Structures are given as C-alpha cells and as structure tokens.
Amino acid sequence: MADQPTATERFIQGILPENPVYRQLLGLCATLAVSNNMKAALTMAASVTFVLLCANVVTSLIRNLLKPHLRIVVFTLTIATFVTIADRFLAAYLYQMSKTLGPYIPLIIVNCIIICRCEVCASKQSVFTAASDAIGQSLGFALALSSIAAIREILGTGMFFGLRVLPAAWPDWVIMALPPGAFLTFGLMLAAINWISSNK
Amino acid sequence: MMMESGRREIKDSPGMLERIKKNNLVQGWLVLLLALFFGSALASVQLSLGPKIEMNKLNETLSKVPELVLGASRAHEMEAKNQELGIEAMTIDVNKNNKRVLYNVYKTTYNGEITGWVVKTGGQGYASKLELLIGLDPGMESITGLFILAQKETPGLGNKIITEKWRKQFINKPTKNRLVVVKDGADALNEIDAITGATISSRSVTDILNTAISDLKGQLISGQSSNR
C-alpha cells in the first residue's frame, strides 16, 4: 500500500483537484436541491461534514475487521447512524432549518461522496489519513455548494445570507431560485472550471 | 465397515468447522455488534433530544392554530389588533373496535365562544410518517384549514402536499361525506385533486383526515371530551 496518498495529499486533493462535486460529480441530488440560499447550503455542508468525518473515522478504526462482501452493509449502517443523529440534532436546535431541508438530510445516507470516501480511503488507510481526507472532501463539498448557492441567491432574490445586496431595482430572476436555475448554474460552473483547468 | 465409518468421521470434522465459518451469524458478527452499538447510541440520542423536538412541534402547532381556525387573513387581522384566541389543549379518547385511540385536540375560544377546533393526527404516508393539523368550525361541519406538521415524502412529488395550493382545496369542504381523491380534476364537493405522480401521498393525507373527523365528530359535539 505504498502508493496510497498521504494525509496531506488526501486533504488537498479533496478541496480542488478531486472536488467531490465539480470533479467527481458526486452528491448532486443535495447540491441541486439545497443550493438556492446560503444558509441552507451551509447547514447541509455542515451536516455532510459531520457525517463524513464520523463515518470515515469509524470505518478506518474497524478496517481490519471488515469482510470484503459485507463492507457495504457496514458502511451503510455506520453512515445511517450518524445521519440520524444529525437529523435529530437539527430538528431539536434548528427546527425551521430542518423543515426547510426536509428529506435531504436523511438522503445523506445514500450520498455517494460518503460511501465513496469510506470505500476509497477509510477502509484502507489510518484514522488520521481518513479524518484529513474527510475534512478535505467536506471543504470541497462546502466550497462547491456555497459557490452555487451564492450565485443562485444573489441573482434569484437579490440577497446574500438573507440580506439585500443588489439594488431594489434588480428584477429577481426567479428561475435561479427554482430547480432549473440549479442545473443552469451547475452546468455553467462545471464548464468554466473545466475550461480553466484545460487552459493551464 | 468400521474403517469406512472412521474415515467418514475424519472427513466430516473439517466440514463441520467449514460450515460454522460459513454460517451467516458468524460471518456477520461485526454487522450485528455494530447494529447493537449504534442502536443503543441512537436510542440515547432520541431520549435526550426527543422532548426538545416535541416542544418545537408543540410551539409550531400553537402558532398555527389561529390561522387554521380563522383563515390566514382574519388571523393576521386579529394579531394586528392584539386580540388573542383562547387555546385549550385536551386529549380525546376514542374507542374504536375495542381499541383506544388518543387524539390531541385544541379548542379555541374568543370572548367565551367556541371559534373552532384544531385536531392533531397522523398516519403513514408514502415514504414517511405524516403528522397533520386539521382546523374545523365550531359545529365540526366543515374544514377550515389543513397544515402538514411533519413529512419526509419524496422531494418534488410527494412533498408537494405541503404547498398551500394543494392544501387550499380542503378549506370549506363539508365533513358530512368522506373526501375522495380523484386523478382527473375534482368537480364534486367531496373531491380532492391528486398531486400528479403522488397519488398515494395525496390519498394518505385525505384518509388520515377522514378518519380523524369521523372518529371525533360525535365525541366533540356531544361534549364527552375529558380535559387534560
């Protein structure tokens, strides 16, 4: 296993070179659904960070006990537990936000970013590497989600974090706040990032 | 003969060990252990956060009660004038086929007169458990409002039950006949339009509402209600 990336490499890769949304095109359901305002996007990103970090650490701790054909069951069990904790926590302390995010928090269970990281990194590498991988990937996810949310919220409602940033004369592009706006923004961002990286 | 049976025994014993190794329970010991561990962790999370979540729901319920009984515009009007409805919570015990069913009901009064009822009820939807608040007029003859307190239905389809556009259909429907969900445009007084692609969610809401109304109608009007 000498060819496995180190903890620092894992951390850096997660943020941009292997960004889960823009590079691996994972976790798109959540990306498209909750990126119409910054508050929801950041709550989602925080929940994913919590789940990814816990799941990666637990998986890495038990990696030597895993049987190859049962590993997906164990991953799902672990992820589902932490997702439920995150869901209950939001319902208790951020009630309105948990209603806004609705079914997307429970849907983190099937978010491919997390199963992917458990499979690729945590089930093979040490706890420290798995944790830094989780943080790197979460930062990458948060970055992607907030970049889309910023564009959609500003153009769609003229606001940023619920505060008005564009003049009142701005005709709100309602479509940006609706699902088509998510696809549009995501597609253009993806094109821009691919174009920039191919020109390097 | 003796030799043969002896040989068979020797052959059998590693087979036995192999069988134990291949046993599902032995294979899955880690899964079982983790399930036990995670299960108890979740139970303790629920024990500590459960009351707080219930409190949040109760606060939301109480804030929605005036709107459900009076309609949004009158509720805002009253709020602007600093007039407040009296809200009295009670538990109604309904005996159905020898089974006890408990309902949380909020009786609203203004200047000593009953303005309406709000019933909290719930049931299984398509993908999740639904919790509804149903507003009813003082005589329980028509529906004055519907609010979805909790749901985790399919995004984009089933979760449209929370939209005002869909819920508005229920307002002013008489409770005399059961409401029916139809797919091709509601015409009759007791018909509700199904959400396209989410007939089961639509039907669940309507059925839960029908059951609650038929269970409570006699009880509340005859005043057999016991105060909590």
Side-chain angles (χ1 to χ4, degrees):
Chain A
M1 300 265 167
D3 54 343
Q4 292 280 3
T6 62
T8 329
E9 281 169 349
R10 284 282 191 206
F11 176 76
I12 295 168
Q13 274 177 355
I15 301 175
L16 278 179
E18 276 182 23
N19 186 296
V21 176
Y22 288 132
R23 282 290 176 220
Q24 305 179 55
L25 303 188
L26 293 177
L28 294 186
C29 164
T31 308
L32 296 173
V34 296
S35 60
N36 58 354
N37 68 72
M38 284 299 282
K39 277 183 193 162
L42 288 186
T43 315
M44 186 70 189
S47 312
V48 168
T49 307
F50 166 75
V51 177
L52 184 53
L53 186 61
C54 295
N56 257 14
V57 167
V58 170
T59 310
S60 178
L61 282 174
I62 57 170
R63 68 185 185 281
N64 295 325
L65 303 170
L66 285 175
K67 286 209 165 56
H69 62 290
L70 289 175
R71 68 191 196 288
I72 302 287
V73 180
V74 173
F75 296 164
T76 318
L77 195 67
T78 315
I79 297 166
T81 307
F82 292 112
V83 169
T84 313
I85 294 174
D87 181 52
R88 295 285 85 189
F89 191 83
L90 284 181
Y93 296 103
L94 288 167
Y95 185 63
Q96 280 314 318
M97 185 48 82
S98 100
K99 288 197 89 171
T100 314
L101 292 175
Y104 294 102
I105 293 290
L107 277 178
I108 298 176
I109 296 173
V110 288
N111 191 321
C112 299
I113 298 172
I114 299 164
I115 297 182
C116 163
R117 291 338 288 176
C118 285
E119 173 78 26
V120 170
C121 174
S123 63
K124 295 184 181 113
Q125 293 191 277
S126 71
V127 175
F128 179 69
T129 317
S132 64
D133 177 72
I135 295 172
Q137 292 283 334
S138 307
L139 278 177
F141 182 67
L143 202 70
L145 214 54
S146 51
S147 61
I148 298 176
I151 296 174
R152 288 182 66 193
E153 191 178 2
I154 292 174
L155 296 182
T157 59
M159 297 203 267
F160 189 63
F161 277 107
L163 298 169
R164 187 150 274 284
V165 287
L166 291 181
W170 173 257
D172 295 343
W173 292 0
V174 182
I175 191 146
M176 294 303 280
L178 297 175
F183 279 99
L184 217 66
T185 317
F186 175 63
L188 291 175
M189 287 292 283
L190 199 59
I193 285 171
N194 278 337
W195 184 68
I196 292 168
S197 59
S198 69
N199 276 1
K200 262 185 192 165
Chain B
M1 288 292 271
M2 285 285 280
M3 281 269 286
E4 247 188 74
S5 69
R7 221 178 278 148
R8 197 175 297 149
E9 254 180 45
I10 295 165
K11 253 170 99 186
D12 272 354
S13 53
M16 191 73 166
L17 221 124
E18 204 61 17
R19 271 221 301 278
I20 292 175
K21 265 190 178 169
K22 277 202 174 145
N23 185 295
N24 288 342
L25 285 178
V26 177
Q27 291 265 312
W29 71 270
L30 183 63
V31 179
L32 294 174
L33 197 75
L34 283 178
L36 208 68
F37 175 70
F38 286 149
S40 40
L42 284 180
S44 59
V45 167
Q46 178 62 27
L47 277 180
S48 57
L49 294 182
K52 185 137 180 62
I53 298 171
E54 282 310 309
M55 198 67 205
N56 287 340
K57 275 190 189 157
L58 183 69
N59 287 341
E60 191 182 24
T61 306
L62 292 178
S63 72
K64 285 287 165 193
V65 163
E67 208 172 294
L68 286 169
V69 172
L70 305 169
S73 55
R74 262 210 65 200
H76 289 307
E77 211 175 279
M78 276 187 69
E79 202 180 19
K81 287 185 196 158
N82 253 340
Q83 296 167 325
E84 241 180 62
L85 281 182
I87 301 174
E88 189 190 325
M90 45 172 86
T91 313
I92 309 289
D93 193 341
V94 179
N95 203 340
K96 213 163 78 172
N97 305 332
N98 292 328
K99 256 199 257 167
R100 276 180 75 198
V101 186
L102 290 174
Y103 280 97
N104 283 329
V105 178
Y106 301 89
K107 177 166 129 186
T108 64
T109 48
Y110 187 65
N111 287 340
E113 245 175 71
I114 299 180
T115 45
W117 310 86
V118 171
V119 177
K120 188 181 165 200
T121 177
Q124 185 60 40
Y126 173 67
S128 61
K129 236 186 125 231
L130 304 175
E131 280 177 49
L132 315 181
L133 293 178
I134 307 162
L136 294 157
D137 70 354
M140 290 201 104
E141 261 145 25
S142 67
I143 299 165
T144 52
L146 172 69
F147 183 74
I148 316 288
L149 197 59
Q151 62 86 25
K152 289 199 160 73
E153 300 290 277
T154 324
L157 294 168
N159 76 347
K160 283 191 186 158
I161 54 173
I162 62 169
T163 56
E164 206 193 337
K165 194 182 150 209
W166 190 72
R167 286 185 291 123
K168 236 171 39 194
Q169 297 184 72
F170 288 87
I171 297 176
N172 290 333
K173 292 274 187 212
T175 59
K176 206 166 68 189
N177 299 316
R178 283 181 75 85
L179 297 175
V180 207
V181 174
V182 291
K183 283 188 189 177
D184 41 5
D187 299 318
L189 210 54
N190 68 335
E191 286 181 343
I192 296 290
D193 247 334
I195 297 165
T196 313
T199 318
I200 298 179
S201 298
S202 319
R203 207 171 278 154
S204 306
V205 173
T206 314
D207 285 346
I208 296 168
L209 184 132
N210 280 332
T211 314
I213 290 173
S214 70
D215 282 356
L216 289 172
K217 214 171 172 183
Q219 292 260 355
L220 285 178
I221 302 305
S222 58
Q224 289 168 357
S225 50
S226 55
N227 288 12
R228 186 158 40 175

